Amino acid sequence: MQKRKLGNSGLEVSAIGLGCMGLSFAYGPAMDRQEAIKLLRGAVVRGVTFFDTAEAYGPYKNEELLGEALAPLRQQVVIATKFGFEFDDKGGQSGTNSRPEHVRDVAEASLKRLKTDHIDLFYQHRVDPNVPIEDVAGAVKELIREGKVRHFGLSEAGAQTIRKAHAVQPVTALQSEYSLWWREPETKVFSTLEELGIGLVSYSPLGRGFLTGTINEDTSFGSGDFRNLVPRFAPEARKANQALVELIGQIAARKSVTSAQIALAWILAQKPWIVPIPGTTKLHRLEENIGAASVELTPDDLRQIEASLAAVEVKGDRYPPELQARVDR
Ligand SMILES: NC(=O)c1ccc[n+]([C@@H]2O[C@H](COP(=O)([O-])OP(=O)(O)OC[C@H]3O[C@@H](n4cnc5c(N)ncnc54)[C@H](OP(=O)(O)O)[C@@H]3O)[C@@H](O)[C@H]2O)c1
């Protein structure tokens, strides 16, 4: 697969990474461990070198899974993980915590779970309103100095936060939701990222599955599936948002590719410093998603997609109210 560099940092990764959250967390029960290990190793064989996890996925289980699956292939892969939450006894997130001593403790624990001596990219998962971002950047700077972390990242941070953090420790990548149905980063952060030479890692690039055309208003999600809580996935919103899926489907049919491939190829076509990290639990879909790196969208295709997007108003917030406050800080 082609490679991309995340901003000016020199960190090179496969043009399409693998978001690993759904293997353990968020979209129903965790995968069978051996199957998950097969999928992760199969991704490396197919050219994926960029793997995304977080302390919070499980919590802990997803990092442990990656540790086991990728330890023998460690030299070939870039592993990104995230810090910044507290957890209650049941593993639920009880709040943000990016106090410097906590950042250090999480790094040490993540290194053990990931069975490695360095984290390639260490993101703050959510901006912590109680800790100045300069202190967070300082804590990561120290970890980088010690060789435990190679690159610093932020997730869902706003332009001002990015600037302040970058002044203390250069930021390699911002990880934020960005897709055909969530384009706010274009107006809110793209110019800052471009100016500072920071890459964008686009999460939920398939709209948590919706943009692939495999979900409709009749789809029922299992208990424990995060999408049950997301306003954008409420049945009436899904019904309204189907119009977007249909338009993507038409473009895909004309290009003889799949809707998922259009969704990913469109992201790749926006800027050379964006890397999407679609998640899947299925090898055939992983192959399909990787295939998007070879789909070329012409200026005409891009104009047609742009016109289609302009014709549809996406309904529903992307986070439930209690989590909405944690993004774009
Ligand atoms: N920083 C953050 O706050 C944050 C938030 C959310 C996610 N993330 C990261 O971003 C990664 C990706 O995001 P995501 O998993 O939320 O959403 P996504 O990649 O947009 O969509 C994943 C969903 O799409 C389905 N899917 C994948 N490929 C498909 C295909 N070709 N055709 C049909 N369905 C397909 C998957 O189901 P199957 O498993 O059944 O294929 C899964 O339910 C996560 O794994 C995580 O690492 C980060």
Side-chain angles (χ1 to χ4, degrees):
M1 199 188 337
Q2 303 94 305
K3 299 265 174 78
R4 287 196 162 196
K5 287 210 170 92
L6 288 170
N8 295 342
S9 67
L11 181 63
E12 194 176 60
V13 294
S14 51
I16 293 182
L18 181 62
C20 301
M21 175 178 78
L23 275 55
S24 316
F25 178 74
Y27 301 139
M31 275 181 89
D32 171 80
R33 195 171 176 92
Q34 289 314 314
E35 287 300 310
I37 290 171
K38 235 196 270 176
L39 183 91
L40 290 162
R41 292 183 180 161
V44 180
V45 170
R46 287 160 181 78
V48 175
T49 67
F50 190 31
F51 291 81
D52 187 76
T53 181
E55 176 197 37
Y57 300 161
Y60 317 123
K61 293 189 178 67
N62 197 243
E63 283 189 334
E64 286 164 1
L65 171 70
L66 262 70
E68 184 178 350
L70 299 178
L73 306 165
R74 184 66 184 97
Q75 300 312 315
Q76 300 172 49
V77 297
V78 170
I79 299 179
T81 191
K82 315 183 190 81
F83 62 87
F85 289 117
E86 293 269 19
F87 304 100
D88 59 29
D89 295 345
K90 291 187 183 126
Q93 289 166 18
S94 55
T96 49
N97 184 351
S98 283
R99 289 196 311 276
E101 62 277 17
H102 186 66
V103 174
R104 170 166 290 276
D105 289 349
V106 175
E108 296 290 354
S110 292
L111 285 169
K112 285 205 184 81
R113 286 189 289 266
L114 290 166
K115 297 190 197 299
T116 182
D117 62 358
H118 70 277
I119 294 163
D120 295 291
L121 175 55
F122 202 32
Y123 297 101
Q124 183 191 40
H125 208 150
R126 287 291 180 272
V127 175
D128 187 337
N130 300 315
V131 183
I133 195 66
E134 291 86 348
D135 294 359
V136 180
V140 177
K141 192 182 185 80
E142 188 70 10
L143 290 164
I144 291 175
R145 203 183 51 74
E146 293 167 19
K148 293 176 175 168
V149 167
R150 298 262 166 94
H151 294 267
F152 178 32
L154 298 170
S155 178
E156 292 285 356
Q160 284 311 102
T161 306
I162 296 168
R163 269 184 202 287
K164 287 185 201 163
H166 192 75
V168 176
Q169 167 60 46
V171 176
T172 290
L174 174 74
Q175 179 174 136
S176 282
E177 185 164 356
Y178 180 58
S179 68
L180 285 168
W181 77 347
W182 183 250
R183 299 180 65 185
E184 205 176 85
E186 291 173 8
T187 50
K188 290 256 175 103
V189 293
F190 268 29
S191 60
T192 305
L193 298 181
E194 201 137 44
E195 177 195 328
L196 301 178
I198 297 171
L200 177 70
V201 173
S202 131
Y203 82 68
S204 301
L206 301 172
R208 302 189 190 270
F210 188 78
L211 300 170
T212 66
T214 55
I215 294 171
N216 63 29
E217 64 195 282
D218 301 322
T219 306
S220 64
F221 300 114
S223 70
D225 192 311
F226 176 64
R227 290 169 292 197
N228 287 318
L229 307 174
V230 175
R232 195 162 277 198
F233 279 90
E236 62 280 10
R238 272 188 256 162
K239 191 173 175 185
N241 295 334
Q242 208 60 42
L244 175 59
V245 171
E246 278 162 23
L247 290 169
I248 298 167
Q250 286 166 15
I251 295 162
R254 189 170 57 69
K255 300 273 298 176
S256 303
V257 300
T258 68
S259 294
Q261 289 174 331
I262 291 291
L264 297 171
W266 176 84
I267 291 172
L268 291 170
Q270 300 312 301
K271 298 283 178 189
W273 40 262
I274 306 182
V275 176
I277 48 164
T280 182
T281 53
K282 300 174 179 67
L283 199 57
H284 71 276
R285 287 181 170 173
L286 178 87
E287 287 173 346
E288 177 186 339
N289 297 344
I290 290 171
S294 324
V295 173
E296 229 174 272
L297 297 175
T298 65
D300 241 18
D301 295 330
L302 291 168
R303 266 193 297 275
Q304 196 190 337
I305 294 172
E306 197 65 45
S308 300
L309 294 179
V312 178
E313 194 196 331
V314 176
K315 295 270 188 319
D317 288 341
R318 65 189 178 113
Y319 276 105
E322 66 278 15
L323 298 182
Q324 184 68 39
R326 286 193 186 157
V327 293
D328 191 28
R329 275 177 172 162

